Every structure is written in C-alpha cells, then in structure tokens.
Amino acid sequence: MAGKSVTSVDVARHAGVSQSAVSRYFTPGASLSAKMAEKIRKAAEELDYRPNVLARSLITGKSRIIGLVVYYLENQFYPEVIEKLSAALQESGYHVLLFMSSRTVGDVKPVMQQILDYRVDGIIMVSVSMSSVLAQRCADLSIPVMLFNRDQPDLDLMAVTTDNLRGGSLAAQALLASRPKRIAHLAGYEGASTQIERERGFLEELKAGGQELHSRAVGNFHYAEAVEATHELFDRPDPPDALFVTDDHMAFAAMDVIRSEFRLRIPEDVSVVGFDDVPQAAWPSFNLTTVRQHVNLMVSKAVSELITAIEEPETPLPIKLRIPPTLVRRGTTRD
C-alpha cells in the first residue's frame, strides 16, 4: 500500500470482511463479533490504517468532536478540569478540540464561529459566558451546550456547578468559629455566577451569625490583581482578622502578601478560607482551609448529560445540576 492512502475498503479486502463491518469496528458502541473484530484489528494494524474522522462526519453528519471553551489556565483548578473532561470524553468515544477565550460574552463570538466551523456535536464552556444570540444559534443547529462551573439562569442551557450558595455559607461558618472582629472578602470577577452566589451565601451566613462584612476588594480571579486587592484590604489601621477568598488561586496570593509584606501570622492573626480545594491547597506551605468542589462528580455529570443530549436529542434537557461542596479544614483557620 506504499504511496497511497489506505482506506476502509482496503482493510475490508485484507481482512476478508465487508466495508460496513470495518466501519462498525471503528464506531464506538457498534455491535461486532469478537472474531470479526480481531480480524479487522489485525488487518488495520498490518496496513497502518487510521479512520478519517472528518470524512466520516460528512457521511454520518456526526463529527464526534466536542468543543471545549476555556477562559484561562492561570487558576490551578482549570488544568485539572480540562484533563478530566478530556479523558472522560475520549473514554466515551469523543474527540476534544480546545479553544481559548475571554470571560466576556463579546470575545466569545469569533471563537464560537471557529467551533461551529468544525461541525462539533456539542460544546462545553468552562467558566465562560454566552450571549442569548449565540445560545439560540447553537439551538438552531441542534448543538447542545453545557456550562461547567458557571451558570446563566436567563438562558435555557445545561449547567453543572457546585452549590456555590452552600459553599459560601460553609466558608463563613469556618471563619465565624474563631469569633473574629473584622471579616473581609476578596472577590473574583463580579460578573461571574460563581462569585455572585458564593458571596451571597457568605454574607447571608455572616448575617445569621450576627456579623457584618468589614471590608471588600476585587481580585478578578488573577494572582497579580489579588495581590493588589490584599494590599487594599490590609494597608489600614484596622486590618481584617478573617478573610474569605472566592478561589484558592487568589487565596495563595493573599497569603503570600499577608505573611511576607504585612508580617501577620496565619491563622493566629488572620484566618483565611479559600474555595476549590486545588491540589496545591494541601501543600505544607499553604495548608489552606477551603471549600472543596467535587471535580470528579462534576465532570462525570457534565459528560454524561451532554452525551445524552447529543445521542438522544428527544430526551428533555436536564435541570441545572448543583453538586454539594465540602469544607476541608486545614491550618489557616482556628476553631
């Protein structure tokens, strides 16, 4: 076969089976006897055959490609999420195309056009917002969209998130246990549903505990901006003695500043609680008390619901799923 591209017809002839049998062999979930499958596997290996996924999509109308849209990878939470989503989709017989975008709706438009050009079967948007116009376009093209770690209540889109209201409440409980006098909040991007819900749950629990917020600053989920926000919170005569940070990534920045620049002890002078429970939170240098998002369960639910929407389009869309979080107590809070 040297000098020419090997086709499924060549494999079928070499194996002594029909071309449709070869097609079924390379279609995840298709039925084929073990004996025939072994003949095709051996023939394909001997001819060094690989199926042309894009060519097949023109025939079947299905690319088995999922577009994965991500805002940024600075936060340690997202590389882990992308790895787990990619692995779960591949195990289910789907291919992943990764697209980088910005957190704002307007910047998603050119990326979305690229995704649609690839004839994707579905889209997962990781902490990225979507306009109603884009959502309707996907609906018109029968392309299901799954929001991961972000929700847009005004749009009829599937979503898998942590119960962020509950998470904010757990963070407040962890800080209130040490009876602080001045509780601060270091917020993320204020347009994100995760930020809105976590802060709301936090403030409601503070109120229930008879406390009010002492101070607040915005770090926009970025390390450098979180450093500046921490200066804003602590460069004052009455700095906080308790701090809730909307994610671990910014919490690491805050802890670095609190210790190295303000020479305050954690937790003796300042208690700190984060959110996510990324692997680095358990490192001895941070040992961060945080609210854990159960990533494995979130990924499993997101992938299974998206594939159901793709393969069983008549099935009613599921309700938005909220996974209960867990408080993980470590060394940055006092009882």
Side-chain angles (χ1 to χ4, degrees):
M1 305 303 297
K4 64 174 288 189
S5 177
V6 179
T7 69
S8 60
V9 174
D10 297 322
V11 175
R13 288 172 180 165
H14 195 68
V17 301
S18 67
Q19 190 273 338
S20 63
V22 175
S23 178
R24 290 199 305 277
Y25 175 80
F26 287 102
T27 301
S31 177
L32 203 65
S33 70
K35 182 177 179 180
M36 184 172 291
E38 177 58 23
K39 290 173 67 175
I40 295 170
R41 184 199 66 77
K42 186 176 180 182
E45 190 174 276
E46 290 174 353
L47 296 178
D48 195 24
Y49 169 75
R50 296 291 183 275
N52 188 324
V53 175
L54 294 179
R56 182 190 295 170
S57 71
L58 296 176
I59 299 172
T60 64
K62 294 292 184 181
S63 65
R64 299 197 73 83
I65 294 174
I66 303 297
L68 186 57
V69 188
V70 182
Y71 159 46
Y72 74 144
L73 298 177
E74 178 185 327
N75 186 336
Q76 298 88 343
F77 180 71
Y78 294 111
E80 180 183 11
V81 165
I82 292 168
E83 179 182 353
K84 291 180 182 296
L85 281 172
S86 299
L89 288 165
Q90 287 170 196
E91 288 173 3
S92 300
Y94 285 82
H95 311 278
V96 177
L97 281 180
L98 179 64
F99 297 85
M100 299 301 297
S101 182
S102 179
R103 65 186 170 213
T104 58
V105 171
D107 293 326
V108 174
K109 290 181 180 178
V111 172
M112 287 297 297
Q113 184 57 57
Q114 295 176 42
I115 293 173
L116 298 177
D117 288 344
Y118 278 94
R119 299 172 179 260
V120 298
D121 290 345
I123 298 171
I124 299 179
M125 306 190 75
V126 181
S127 284
V128 178
S129 299
M130 193 178 202
S131 71
S132 57
V133 173
L134 288 174
Q136 186 58 52
R137 186 176 180 195
C138 290
D140 293 342
L141 294 172
S142 299
I143 299 174
V145 177
M146 170 65 72
L147 302 178
F148 188 95
N149 199 39
R150 178 67 61 86
D151 191 13
Q152 292 181 250
D154 58 320
L155 297 183
D156 187 22
L157 298 174
M158 296 180 290
V160 172
T161 67
T162 290
D163 184 344
N164 288 297
L165 280 171
R166 175 61 179 161
S169 176
L170 290 173
Q173 291 174 23
L175 292 177
L176 288 171
S178 62
R179 300 187 179 183
K181 297 179 180 179
R182 299 176 299 279
I183 303 176
H185 177 44
L186 204 171
Y189 172 55
E190 296 186 280
S193 64
T194 49
Q195 168 58 42
I196 294 168
E197 293 176 359
R198 291 172 191 178
E199 183 171 13
R200 178 182 159 197
F202 181 68
L203 294 178
E204 288 178 353
E205 190 66 30
L206 287 189
K207 184 177 181 180
Q211 287 268 20
E212 293 183 355
L213 194 66
H214 168 265
S215 50
R216 182 184 188 274
V218 178
N220 281 317
F221 295 128
H222 286 285
Y223 188 95
E225 292 184 55
V227 167
E228 294 180 7
T230 305
H231 280 111
E232 181 182 336
L233 290 171
F234 283 85
D235 191 12
R236 54 193 301 165
D238 59 340
D241 59 357
L243 176 65
F244 169 46
V245 189
T246 303
D247 72 2
D248 291 350
H249 182 59
M250 293 193 301
F252 299 153
M255 291 173 66
D256 286 343
V257 172
I258 291 168
R259 286 169 170 164
S260 65
E261 299 188 35
F262 290 95
R263 304 298 179 182
L264 296 173
R265 299 168 300 166
I266 300 173
E268 292 84 358
D269 300 319
V270 186
S271 295
V272 179
V273 174
F275 204 113
D276 284 340
D277 194 31
V278 299
Q280 292 86 343
W283 290 3
S285 56
F286 295 116
N287 196 24
L288 176 65
T289 294
T290 187
V291 178
R292 174 178 293 165
Q293 298 205 74
H294 294 280
V295 177
N296 288 338
L297 182 56
M298 292 172 69
V299 167
S300 174
K301 292 292 187 181
V303 170
S304 65
E305 296 293 353
L306 180 65
I307 291 176
T308 297
I310 293 170
E311 299 181 355
E312 302 173 28
E314 301 305 317
T315 302
L317 289 179
I319 61 174
K320 297 176 186 292
L321 301 176
R322 298 182 183 274
I323 309 301
T326 304
L327 178 68
V328 180
R329 289 188 177 275
R330 296 195 181 98
T332 59
T333 52
R334 306 186 308 275
D335 293 331

